[in-house]
Amino acid sequence: MFRPIPKSYIELILDKKLSTVKLYTIQHRNVLDIISRTNIHIQQEKDTMFMNASYWEEGHNAYSWIKNKGKFKNYPIWATLKSQLKKKKDSTISKEIDKEYVEITFEKSVNDILLSDYESWHSVLNNDYCYQNDDDYDINYPQEEIIKSWDYCLDMRKNKSSMVQVCTNNIQRIEILRVTDLKKNLMEF
C-alpha cells in the first residue's frame, strides 16, 4: 500500500529546507462538496474512521494524542507523500470504494504537517507500546510508559521506516492541485 519515501526527502522536510510539500489523501466525494461550499475541509470527530467501531475508545485516545502532538484544532486529516494509486488498476482499492472516493492532491506548508511512521502508528492505535528494538518485547509496561513510547512513531530521524504518513489540520480549496477519481478519471475542481 505505502510507497517508500527516501530518507533524504524526509530529512529535507524535517530540516524545513522545503517550504511546502505535495500531499495525497483519499477522501469521500462529499468532502469536495464541503470544500466547494466552505473553501475548507476540517475532519470532524464524527467522521473519523473509528467512530462507529467497537474499539473507538482506544482509537479516540490515539486520535486525541496525535491531535495534541500536532497542535491541531481538529482531528487530523491523513495523507501520504506519494500517491497510493497505481498507474494501472489498483487491486488494493475495492470496487465499492472507487465509486465513492477520490484522491486529493494538495500542497501544504511544512509547518502545518506532522510526519509519522505508519507501522508504529498502529501501536498507538492499539494502545500498545511502540517497540524500538527486540529487547522491548518481553517487558510489561505501565500505561504511562506506553504513552511515552508513542513519541517514537513521530521521531522520523530515529525511526528507520520509509512508510511515512502525514497528518494535517485541514485542506483548503486554494491548496488543491488535482482531484483524481479512483476510477482513474481526472475530475475538475
mmCIF file of all heavy atoms in Angstrom, residues 1 14 18 29 31 44 46 48 53 71 74 79 82 104 110 113 150 160:
data_model
loop_
_atom_site.group_PDB
_atom_site.id
_atom_site.type_symbol
_atom_site.label_atom_id
_atom_site.label_comp_id
_atom_site.label_asym_id
_atom_site.label_seq_id
_atom_site.Cartn_x
_atom_site.Cartn_y
_atom_site.Cartn_z
ATOM 1 N N MET A 1 0.822 -1.189 0.000
ATOM 2 C CA MET A 1 0.000 0.000 0.000
ATOM 3 C C MET A 1 0.867 1.255 0.000
ATOM 4 O O MET A 1 0.731 2.096 -0.855
ATOM 5 C CB MET A 1 -0.929 -0.028 1.202
ATOM 6 C CG MET A 1 -1.819 1.177 1.266
ATOM 7 S SD MET A 1 -2.909 1.048 2.678
ATOM 8 C CE MET A 1 -3.000 2.732 3.136
ATOM 9 N N LEU A 14 12.025 17.564 7.504
ATOM 10 C CA LEU A 14 12.311 17.755 8.929
ATOM 11 C C LEU A 14 13.191 18.984 9.177
ATOM 12 O O LEU A 14 12.999 19.698 10.158
ATOM 13 C CB LEU A 14 12.991 16.514 9.505
ATOM 14 C CG LEU A 14 12.140 15.242 9.544
ATOM 15 C CD1 LEU A 14 12.986 14.057 9.975
ATOM 16 C CD2 LEU A 14 10.939 15.411 10.457
ATOM 17 N N LEU A 18 12.436 22.689 2.705
ATOM 18 C CA LEU A 18 11.344 22.870 1.748
ATOM 19 C C LEU A 18 10.301 23.743 2.447
ATOM 20 O O LEU A 18 10.077 23.599 3.639
ATOM 21 C CB LEU A 18 10.702 21.528 1.396
ATOM 22 C CG LEU A 18 11.589 20.460 0.774
ATOM 23 C CD1 LEU A 18 10.827 19.154 0.672
ATOM 24 C CD2 LEU A 18 12.052 20.906 -0.595
ATOM 25 N N ARG A 29 -16.197 11.465 -1.614
ATOM 26 C CA ARG A 29 -16.591 12.537 -2.542
ATOM 27 C C ARG A 29 -17.297 13.705 -1.858
ATOM 28 O O ARG A 29 -17.210 14.835 -2.317
ATOM 29 C CB ARG A 29 -17.525 11.993 -3.621
ATOM 30 C CG ARG A 29 -16.883 11.063 -4.577
ATOM 31 C CD ARG A 29 -17.911 10.562 -5.586
ATOM 32 N NE ARG A 29 -17.295 9.570 -6.427
ATOM 33 C CZ ARG A 29 -16.504 9.858 -7.446
ATOM 34 N NH1 ARG A 29 -16.249 11.102 -7.747
ATOM 35 N NH2 ARG A 29 -15.963 8.901 -8.160
ATOM 36 N N VAL A 31 -16.500 15.275 0.617
ATOM 37 C CA VAL A 31 -15.507 16.273 1.043
ATOM 38 C C VAL A 31 -15.385 17.374 -0.012
ATOM 39 O O VAL A 31 -15.231 18.548 0.321
ATOM 40 C CB VAL A 31 -14.144 15.609 1.330
ATOM 41 C CG1 VAL A 31 -13.021 16.630 1.464
ATOM 42 C CG2 VAL A 31 -14.235 14.750 2.586
ATOM 43 N N GLN A 44 -14.027 16.153 11.191
ATOM 44 C CA GLN A 44 -14.866 16.169 12.388
ATOM 45 C C GLN A 44 -14.738 14.830 13.112
ATOM 46 O O GLN A 44 -14.549 13.791 12.487
ATOM 47 C CB GLN A 44 -16.334 16.410 12.004
ATOM 48 C CG GLN A 44 -16.576 17.691 11.251
ATOM 49 C CD GLN A 44 -16.262 18.921 12.080
ATOM 50 O OE1 GLN A 44 -16.508 18.955 13.278
ATOM 51 N NE2 GLN A 44 -15.712 19.938 11.443
ATOM 52 N N LYS A 46 -16.957 12.967 14.379
ATOM 53 C CA LYS A 46 -17.981 12.015 13.937
ATOM 54 C C LYS A 46 -17.617 11.324 12.622
ATOM 55 O O LYS A 46 -18.150 10.272 12.306
ATOM 56 C CB LYS A 46 -19.338 12.706 13.814
ATOM 57 C CG LYS A 46 -19.422 13.716 12.687
ATOM 58 C CD LYS A 46 -20.810 14.346 12.618
ATOM 59 C CE LYS A 46 -20.925 15.324 11.483
ATOM 60 N NZ LYS A 46 -20.762 14.771 10.159
ATOM 61 N N THR A 48 -14.399 10.421 11.780
ATOM 62 C CA THR A 48 -13.159 9.636 11.848
ATOM 63 C C THR A 48 -13.483 8.179 11.585
ATOM 64 O O THR A 48 -14.593 7.717 11.857
ATOM 65 C CB THR A 48 -12.448 9.791 13.200
ATOM 66 O OG1 THR A 48 -13.332 9.391 14.221
ATOM 67 C CG2 THR A 48 -11.973 11.207 13.425
ATOM 68 N N ALA A 53 -16.867 2.101 15.404
ATOM 69 C CA ALA A 53 -16.292 0.790 15.703
ATOM 70 C C ALA A 53 -16.360 0.499 17.200
ATOM 71 O O ALA A 53 -16.393 1.394 18.028
ATOM 72 C CB ALA A 53 -14.842 0.754 15.226
ATOM 73 N N LYS A 71 -0.592 19.765 17.496
ATOM 74 C CA LYS A 71 -1.156 21.068 17.872
ATOM 75 C C LYS A 71 -2.289 21.446 16.914
ATOM 76 O O LYS A 71 -2.439 22.592 16.510
ATOM 77 C CB LYS A 71 -0.072 22.141 17.917
ATOM 78 C CG LYS A 71 0.985 21.829 18.964
ATOM 79 C CD LYS A 71 2.050 22.880 19.016
ATOM 80 C CE LYS A 71 3.028 22.485 20.107
ATOM 81 N NZ LYS A 71 4.385 22.695 19.817
ATOM 82 N N ASN A 74 -8.376 20.353 15.249
ATOM 83 C CA ASN A 74 -9.354 19.342 14.868
ATOM 84 C C ASN A 74 -8.671 17.988 14.773
ATOM 85 O O ASN A 74 -7.464 17.885 14.904
ATOM 86 C CB ASN A 74 -9.949 19.696 13.502
ATOM 87 C CG ASN A 74 -10.393 21.133 13.459
ATOM 88 O OD1 ASN A 74 -11.303 21.519 14.161
ATOM 89 N ND2 ASN A 74 -9.720 21.946 12.662
ATOM 90 N N ALA A 79 -2.697 11.817 5.200
ATOM 91 C CA ALA A 79 -2.221 11.930 3.825
ATOM 92 C C ALA A 79 -0.906 11.173 3.698
ATOM 93 O O ALA A 79 -0.358 10.668 4.686
ATOM 94 C CB ALA A 79 -2.030 13.409 3.458
ATOM 95 N N LYS A 82 3.411 10.371 -1.284
ATOM 96 C CA LYS A 82 3.321 9.846 -2.652
ATOM 97 C C LYS A 82 1.909 9.332 -2.859
ATOM 98 O O LYS A 82 1.282 8.819 -1.931
ATOM 99 C CB LYS A 82 4.301 8.677 -2.865
ATOM 100 C CG LYS A 82 5.732 9.072 -3.033
ATOM 101 C CD LYS A 82 6.550 7.852 -3.413
ATOM 102 C CE LYS A 82 7.998 8.215 -3.640
ATOM 103 N NZ LYS A 82 8.790 7.036 -4.013
ATOM 104 N N ILE A 104 -7.221 13.373 -3.416
ATOM 105 C CA ILE A 104 -6.992 14.814 -3.497
ATOM 106 C C ILE A 104 -5.492 15.051 -3.362
ATOM 107 O O ILE A 104 -4.878 14.605 -2.391
ATOM 108 C CB ILE A 104 -7.753 15.579 -2.393
ATOM 109 C CG1 ILE A 104 -9.266 15.323 -2.518
ATOM 110 C CG2 ILE A 104 -7.437 17.072 -2.458
ATOM 111 C CD1 ILE A 104 -10.081 15.881 -1.358
ATOM 112 N N VAL A 110 5.276 23.018 5.258
ATOM 113 C CA VAL A 110 5.889 22.018 6.140
ATOM 114 C C VAL A 110 5.616 22.340 7.605
ATOM 115 O O VAL A 110 5.700 21.461 8.454
ATOM 116 C CB VAL A 110 7.410 21.851 5.886
ATOM 117 C CG1 VAL A 110 7.678 21.278 4.509
ATOM 118 C CG2 VAL A 110 8.154 23.135 6.102
ATOM 119 N N ILE A 113 2.261 20.355 8.984
ATOM 120 C CA ILE A 113 2.129 18.899 8.886
ATOM 121 C C ILE A 113 2.875 18.227 10.027
ATOM 122 O O ILE A 113 3.748 18.824 10.657
ATOM 123 C CB ILE A 113 2.640 18.360 7.534
ATOM 124 C CG1 ILE A 113 4.149 18.592 7.373
ATOM 125 C CG2 ILE A 113 1.847 18.950 6.381
ATOM 126 C CD1 ILE A 113 4.762 17.874 6.188
ATOM 127 N N TRP A 150 5.004 6.255 22.509
ATOM 128 C CA TRP A 150 4.348 6.615 21.254
ATOM 129 C C TRP A 150 5.098 7.703 20.491
ATOM 130 O O TRP A 150 4.965 7.809 19.274
ATOM 131 C CB TRP A 150 2.915 7.058 21.513
ATOM 132 C CG TRP A 150 2.020 5.974 22.011
ATOM 133 C CD1 TRP A 150 2.292 4.626 22.092
ATOM 134 C CD2 TRP A 150 0.698 6.132 22.508
ATOM 135 N NE1 TRP A 150 1.223 3.949 22.611
ATOM 136 C CE2 TRP A 150 0.221 4.846 22.876
ATOM 137 C CE3 TRP A 150 -0.127 7.220 22.689
ATOM 138 C CZ2 TRP A 150 -1.045 4.638 23.393
ATOM 139 C CZ3 TRP A 150 -1.396 7.018 23.203
ATOM 140 C CH2 TRP A 150 -1.858 5.738 23.555
ATOM 141 N N LYS A 160 13.524 4.215 11.382
ATOM 142 C CA LYS A 160 14.141 3.907 10.084
ATOM 143 C C LYS A 160 13.127 3.538 8.995
ATOM 144 O O LYS A 160 13.491 3.233 7.880
ATOM 145 C CB LYS A 160 15.150 2.763 10.230
ATOM 146 C CG LYS A 160 16.250 3.045 11.224
ATOM 147 C CD LYS A 160 17.075 4.230 10.812
ATOM 148 C CE LYS A 160 18.174 4.502 11.812
ATOM 149 N NZ LYS A 160 18.600 5.863 11.850
#
